Amino acid sequence: MVVLLAVSSVCALSLGTPYVPPHRLVAAVLDGDTTLAGIVVTELRVPRLVLALVAGACLGAAGLVLQEALRNPLAVPEMLGVSSGAALGVAAPLVLSLSLPAAVQPMLAIGGAALGGGLTLLAAGLGRSPSAVLLTGAAVAAALQAALLVLMVMADQLDLQLIYRYLLGSLSARTWDDVAGLWPWLLVAAPALVLCAPVLSVMRLGDEDAEALGVRAQRARLAALAIAVVLIAPVTAVCGPVAWVGFLAPHLARWFDPAAGAVRRLPWSAAWGAAVVTVADVPARLALAPVETPAGAWTALLGVPAGVALMRSGGRGRAARRRSAASAAVREPLPGPRKAASGAEDDIPRAGTSHDVGADAPGHDGFDDGRPPPSGATRTEDVR
């Protein structure tokens, strides 16, 4: 992962027009505003790289929080109405021609994300069942996307192009001001993540076991959704809904360390999210140059099949571990009746005792009067 991050970061800073060789990156940053390469690197490429790292880390951590809280590997922001609600909150003022300052956009995104997540929990009965939350979230996300389509029909041609690129998730033309708008929300979300991680480990046991250990499942699920909203909404306000990063990053963290708990997996999920967005932004900027494609299109194009493959490999690994454990259990000697030296079992019923299990069977002769059994008939045959 470190090598992947390093290579993708160097490519993001070097490749493009103008091309800056990797060994001249430090000099270009030090030159600053004095040369064209310095202006491009420091004012365009470095903030875009920092935004990709921060946005990917937030989305990866939010995906793990949702999956652990709902105990479902498919619980991603795109299927719970959170991303769609945040996109609706940002797109509505643009279509309705409401002039709002840029500092208000994160608040609109947080309001829309909270609306989508709150509708999901309310419709699912305040999160009593994780499967009900996931299914209801898919329905709420579909309804919010339908509302977005209505807004796109009402928009003019210029606004339609802006909304379309925004809904796919793009890092194009982002500056240091966009990066600075994320730090206040990260200062709130980081301590909440630290406090939430141990509770997520308990939530994996199930609602009944978690409540037996002192964790209130419904409140914990609401708190997890609130933390996910704080992580996702500011990123969506700046970059748009970068799709399926919250699905792929937790599965990568789980695949590389299957035995880890939520506490140890959380930083790895954030790191993998940063790596996924950084890698996807390189072809988004260069594949169809000079035209830029949205980074969210590349994350969805590469993330969904990779996530499905990771889920399949993880399922096969768990099945193999279960089979090996079962075979080991079969090979263990089972407790049974001890045998005498002659090889006969000690627990074979004696004649005339209460162990005669065949005495009440149909057609039984009933050797209970003390008479010996007829020739050729034995108790063993009767029991058999």
Side-chain angles (χ1 to χ4, degrees):
M1 187 195 62
V2 173
V3 173
L4 187 65
L5 274 175
V7 172
S8 60
S9 299
V10 171
C11 292
L13 297 177
S14 298
L15 301 180
T17 304
Y19 169 72
V20 182
H23 64 277
R24 292 188 56 84
L25 286 176
V26 177
V29 172
L30 294 178
D31 290 341
D33 298 338
T34 59
T35 61
L36 176 61
I39 294 174
V40 170
V41 172
T42 56
E43 298 299 327
L44 294 177
R45 295 181 184 175
V46 173
R48 182 167 180 162
L49 175 62
V50 174
L51 184 60
L53 293 172
V54 174
C58 291
L59 294 175
L64 181 69
V65 168
L66 292 175
Q67 291 181 13
E68 295 292 333
L70 299 178
R71 303 195 307 276
N72 195 315
L74 298 178
V76 291
E78 289 77 15
M79 294 189 66
L80 293 176
V82 177
S83 295
S84 301
L88 181 62
V90 176
L94 181 63
V95 175
L96 300 177
S97 300
L98 299 178
S99 59
L100 297 174
V104 182
Q105 287 188 355
M107 297 299 299
L108 295 175
I110 287 179
L115 175 64
L119 287 177
T120 298
L121 289 180
L122 287 175
L126 292 178
R128 294 178 181 177
S129 172
S131 58
V133 172
L134 186 61
L135 294 175
T136 308
V140 172
L144 294 175
Q145 290 173 3
L148 281 172
L149 291 177
V150 172
L151 290 177
M152 293 175 68
V153 171
M154 297 170 55
D156 57 16
Q157 190 65 28
L158 180 59
D159 292 340
L160 182 61
Q161 292 180 1
L162 293 175
I163 293 174
Y164 181 72
R165 293 182 64 86
Y166 169 78
L167 292 179
L168 291 178
S170 177
L171 301 175
S172 177
R174 299 300 186 265
T175 62
W176 286 112
D177 294 335
D178 298 316
V179 177
L182 295 177
W183 295 116
W185 306 104
L186 293 180
L187 293 178
V188 175
L193 278 175
V194 174
L195 296 175
C196 178
V199 180
L200 293 177
S201 300
V202 179
M203 290 288 292
R204 295 178 64 185
L205 303 175
D207 291 355
E208 295 181 357
D209 293 338
E211 291 182 357
L213 294 175
V215 175
R216 297 185 178 182
Q218 295 185 19
R219 293 186 180 182
R221 199 168 289 123
L222 285 171
L225 181 64
I227 294 172
V229 166
V230 175
L231 289 171
I232 296 168
V235 173
T236 306
V238 175
C239 308
V242 184
W244 297 104
V245 178
F247 171 72
L248 180 59
H251 284 289
L252 285 171
R254 191 176 293 113
W255 188 72
F256 278 97
D257 195 358
V263 176
R264 192 170 66 180
R265 195 177 293 162
L266 184 61
W268 287 108
S269 181
W272 277 114
V276 168
V277 177
T278 305
V279 171
D281 190 48
V282 175
R285 189 166 58 89
L286 302 174
L288 300 178
V291 178
E292 289 193 10
T293 55
W298 289 93
T299 55
L301 182 64
L302 302 177
V304 173
V308 171
L310 289 173
M311 289 180 63
R312 288 176 58 88
S313 63
R316 286 196 296 267
R318 287 190 296 269
R321 287 192 294 269
R322 285 195 296 266
R323 286 195 298 267
S324 62
S327 61
V330 169
R331 285 195 298 268
E332 291 181 357
L334 298 177
R338 292 174 297 182
K339 296 185 178 181
S342 60
E345 295 181 355
D346 293 342
D347 293 338
I348 294 179
R350 298 297 187 268
T353 63
S354 60
H355 297 287
D356 296 334
V357 297
D360 296 330
H364 189 274
D365 292 333
F367 304 127
D368 294 332
D369 53 355
R371 294 177 298 170
S375 60
T378 63
R379 288 291 180 185
T380 305
E381 290 177 352
D382 186 39
V383 172
R384 191 161 57 241

